Amino acid sequence: MFNNDLKAFFADKETPFYYYDMKLLEQTLDTCASAADKRGFHVHYALKANFNDRILQLIQAKGFGADCVSGNEVKKSIDMGFDPGKITFAGVGKSDKEIRYALSHGIFAFNVESIQEMEVINDLAREAGQIANVSLRINPNVDAQTHHYITTGLDENKFGIPNSELEKSAAVLRNATNLKLVGLHFHIGSQITDLNVFKSLCVKVNEWKNWFEERGTTISVLNVGGGLGVDYKNPDGNAIADFEAYFDIFDKFLERNANQEVHFELGRALVAQCGSLVSRVLYTKNGVKKHFLILDAGMTELMRPALYQAYHKIEKVGSGEQATINYDVVGPICESSDCFGKEVPLPISQRGDLIAIRTAGAYGEVMASNYNLREEIRYIYSDQL
Ligand code: LLP
């Protein structure tokens, strides 16, 4: 993908920058939307993965809802034209100010994560003279088989209401005059590549749905969260995640009643592959044991490798050369963790060469920082070509 045409297009551009392939984004959104529509599923886009305006505009225009985890994300999605009736608000620590803001915009539902939070939302809704829609986020204790930092559905994780407190939660809900239970919510983790994990999730969702229904509670929405992984190793060969296979699992294994809606909160699978971080080689350096490529992008632009030891494919832009040597590809930040990859086979490179770090559209620019007083992130979109 990063051929000589792109090399020519990038030649006079200041680096580093995020490059977004808007066509690929559109194809990904269309593929997801058609697979979901076919099954009557609803998808909320998880803004936390990427809240770049151009990206949000397109996602909103395609009719997706929004999944937010802060008052500012709720505000951003409303400002970008998302229908408040399709906005969910999740997170273990919503502040009073954030709850009030979301209440005043009539969002679709709060995904509540503790009994105390339910009580606070009930009080604030009463104060505002409103009824707040809530979904109970249940911690189902399902292992997502992913990195431990992005595993969220185990007993030891801070997320969701533990099974031991569900009885009490149901009682609190029955007495809460200003809450309306719309559904159950689950999210077990991110970058899940073994689809069997979602089968296990379905089994738990069915159990908890039955548990509530046996107690006479109507559940209108089953929100199964996000988490579908992408192929970091082969971004060109697998540019679009297998939405058909993913939705199929829920279609087959979730026991939905008539009129019961199934909602998803997908982030990574929608935006990861359309984004790449493009950088220039500042210096090459031969260490005692290593060849280093020192880039003008660092962990301040893309933190995933430093934070999660995450793999991102690294390519030389527009390179037809065959011979490679192994480089440690590092950034300019004063930390040894500022490393994008060790022993990466790349064509022999020199100062000024362009390097692309792929699959960086999700949890890339949103997690950037200005540590070391770095410059603000720049962007280039494929339709400027
Ligand atoms: N819903 C909830 C409640 C979530 O916590 C998340 C992600 C999502 C949906 C979207 O999940 P996705 O479809 O993107 O997997 N910074 C990490 C990922 C953190 C994910 C946090 N929660 C990374 O760079 O891998």
Side-chain angles (χ1 to χ4, degrees):
M1 176 196 160
F2 282 86
N3 53 20
N4 279 319
D5 290 346
L6 273 184
K7 185 175 171 185
F9 175 55
F10 294 157
D12 61 347
K13 306 284 189 292
E14 191 176 353
T15 47
F17 57 83
Y18 271 91
Y19 171 71
Y20 288 114
D21 181 339
M22 300 306 284
K23 205 163 157 197
L24 176 59
L25 174 61
E26 183 159 19
Q27 285 165 351
T28 308
L29 297 173
D30 288 344
T31 309
C32 175
S34 87
D37 289 350
K38 224 193 269 179
R39 298 165 173 90
F41 291 166
H42 302 257
V43 182
H44 304 261
Y45 166 63
L47 255 81
K48 65 172 83 64
N50 191 316
F51 39 71
N52 176 295
D53 281 4
R54 287 283 318 269
I55 288 185
L56 289 183
Q57 268 160 17
L58 191 55
I59 295 177
Q60 183 275 335
K62 295 282 176 187
F64 287 79
D67 165 46
C68 304
V69 286
S70 70
N72 282 341
E73 282 193 0
V74 175
K75 180 170 185 326
K76 181 82 186 175
S77 48
I78 290 170
D79 290 350
M80 296 303 293
F82 283 88
D83 174 358
K86 290 186 183 176
I87 296 178
T88 55
F89 183 12
V92 288
K94 304 175 190 77
S95 71
D96 293 16
K97 182 176 162 188
E98 291 176 312
I99 294 169
R100 282 200 183 97
Y101 179 79
L103 277 171
S104 70
H105 285 84
I107 62 163
F108 173 68
F110 292 85
N111 293 337
V112 293
E113 307 226 8
S114 67
I115 291 179
Q116 199 170 26
E117 184 193 339
M118 270 194 272
E119 291 167 345
V120 169
I121 297 178
N122 186 46
D123 289 347
L124 296 177
R126 189 182 318 109
E127 249 176 58
Q130 287 182 307
I131 305 286
N133 285 342
V134 296
S135 287
L136 276 193
R137 177 169 183 178
I138 298 178
N139 184 333
N141 196 26
V142 170
D143 188 350
Q145 313 279 357
T146 183
H147 193 284
H148 60 282
Y149 279 8
I150 50 177
T151 293
T152 51
L154 288 176
D155 282 344
E156 70 226 46
N157 300 130
K158 69 179 174 183
F159 300 97
I161 298 178
N163 297 351
S164 54
E165 292 221 319
L166 279 172
E167 193 85 58
K168 190 168 172 213
S169 313
V172 170
L173 269 173
R174 272 192 295 276
N175 296 323
T177 48
N178 292 67
L179 298 184
K180 178 171 186 278
L181 181 72
V182 292
L184 302 180
H185 173 238
F186 302 81
H187 174 77
I188 54 174
S190 195
Q191 182 51 18
I192 297 171
T193 50
D194 175 0
L195 292 184
N196 284 315
V197 165
F198 294 113
K199 273 192 211 169
S200 312
L201 172 62
C202 289
V203 171
K204 294 285 183 173
V205 175
N206 295 339
E207 273 175 33
W208 285 110
K209 178 186 95 96
N210 291 337
W211 188 91
F212 276 91
E213 287 176 347
E214 278 159 17
R215 282 157 183 77
T217 308
T218 308
I219 302 293
S220 313
V221 172
L222 300 172
N223 180 336
V224 294
L228 176 62
V230 298
D231 192 342
Y232 281 90
K233 294 256 153 70
N234 189 6
D236 294 319
N238 272 326
I240 300 183
D242 193 347
F243 293 104
E244 286 287 341
Y246 170 68
F247 288 130
D248 228 22
I249 302 251
F250 293 91
D251 210 8
K252 282 210 181 89
F253 295 97
L254 265 192
E255 293 162 6
R256 315 180 243 176
N257 314 339
N259 301 329
Q260 205 158 40
E261 291 183 358
V262 183
H263 289 218
F264 294 82
E265 299 169 344
L266 290 173
R268 188 187 316 262
L270 294 176
V271 294
Q273 297 292 21
C274 76
S276 299
L277 177 61
V278 179
S279 172
R280 276 196 176 83
V281 176
L282 284 176
Y283 303 106
T284 57
K285 175 163 141 177
N286 295 324
V288 178
K289 296 185 177 162
K290 297 278 194 180
H291 299 292
F292 291 105
L293 274 191
I294 303 170
L295 304 185
D296 60 6
M299 62 193 281
T300 40
E301 284 70 45
L302 178 65
M303 205 204 265
R304 302 190 72 257
L307 192 57
Y308 314 116
Q309 299 77 50
Y311 173 87
H312 285 259
K313 188 169 185 209
I314 301 174
E315 283 173 32
K316 185 167 167 182
V317 178
S319 169
E321 300 140 54
Q322 297 302 315
T324 62
I325 55 172
N326 286 353
Y327 288 104
D328 276 16
V329 181
V330 302
I333 307 303
C334 301
E335 301 245 1
S336 290
S337 58
D338 184 28
C339 175
F340 290 117
K342 287 192 192 300
E343 300 291 327
V344 182
L346 283 170
I348 294 163
S349 300
Q350 43 193 307
R351 177 171 164 80
D353 284 348
L354 286 162
I355 301 289
I357 304 174
R358 306 290 307 278
T359 320
Y363 307 108
E365 67 161 289
V366 283
M367 290 172 69
S369 77
N370 72 339
Y371 181 44
N372 286 198
L373 214 48
R374 296 275 292 169
E375 288 189 18
E376 276 199 17
I377 300 270
R378 296 178 200 82
Y379 326 98
I380 296 186
Y381 304 94
S382 56
D383 48 13
Q384 297 171 325
L385 244 162

